[in-house]
Amino acid sequence: QVQVVESGGGLVQSGGSLRLSCAASGDIFGIYTMGWYRQAPGKQRELVASITSGGIRNYADSVKGRFTIARGNGRNTVYLQMNSLKPEDTAVYYCNLDLRNGYWGQGTQVTVSS
């Protein structure tokens, strides 16, 4: 049994910052790629950032220079630091653990007001 839980979403003004947290727990025996995805109403889900077991980070072009993904003290904990937020960043953000067919969290809402 594997569970993925996100937290840290909320309402923030344009130019502000938020830090999202993701914790995966359960039968996880190793370090796997974890990533943050987001989906806005009427839009496709897109990859925002990911970090591999070797620490390689990837970012969507739209967030490069503004967002940072990092692992926490726990091997199955990952954060997404979001700075200089824009209204276009408004979406539900989901955390994914790349194990077997993938495990997803319930999502956390991020709303950026102008």
Side-chain angles (χ1 to χ4, degrees), residues 17-84:
S17 299
L18 284 173
R19 189 176 76 158
L20 306 183
S21 299
C22 174
S25 61
D27 296 332
I28 307 170
F29 303 99
I31 302 177
Y32 301 89
T33 295
M34 296 182 71
W36 286 97
Y37 295 73
R38 67 186 181 187
Q39 187 167 24
K43 303 295 183 180
Q44 291 188 332
R45 181 181 59 188
E46 65 173 344
L47 174 67
V48 177
S50 65
I51 182 167
T52 71
S53 61
I56 299 175
R57 296 167 170 83
N58 288 297
Y59 299 94
D61 288 340
S62 60
V63 307
K64 286 182 178 178
R66 299 189 297 122
F67 292 10
T68 302
I69 189 171
R71 293 189 184 275
N73 293 330
R75 58 196 289 180
N76 302 124
T77 301
V78 67
Y79 301 97
L80 183 68
Q81 179 66 46
M82 306 186 294
N83 298 323
S84 302

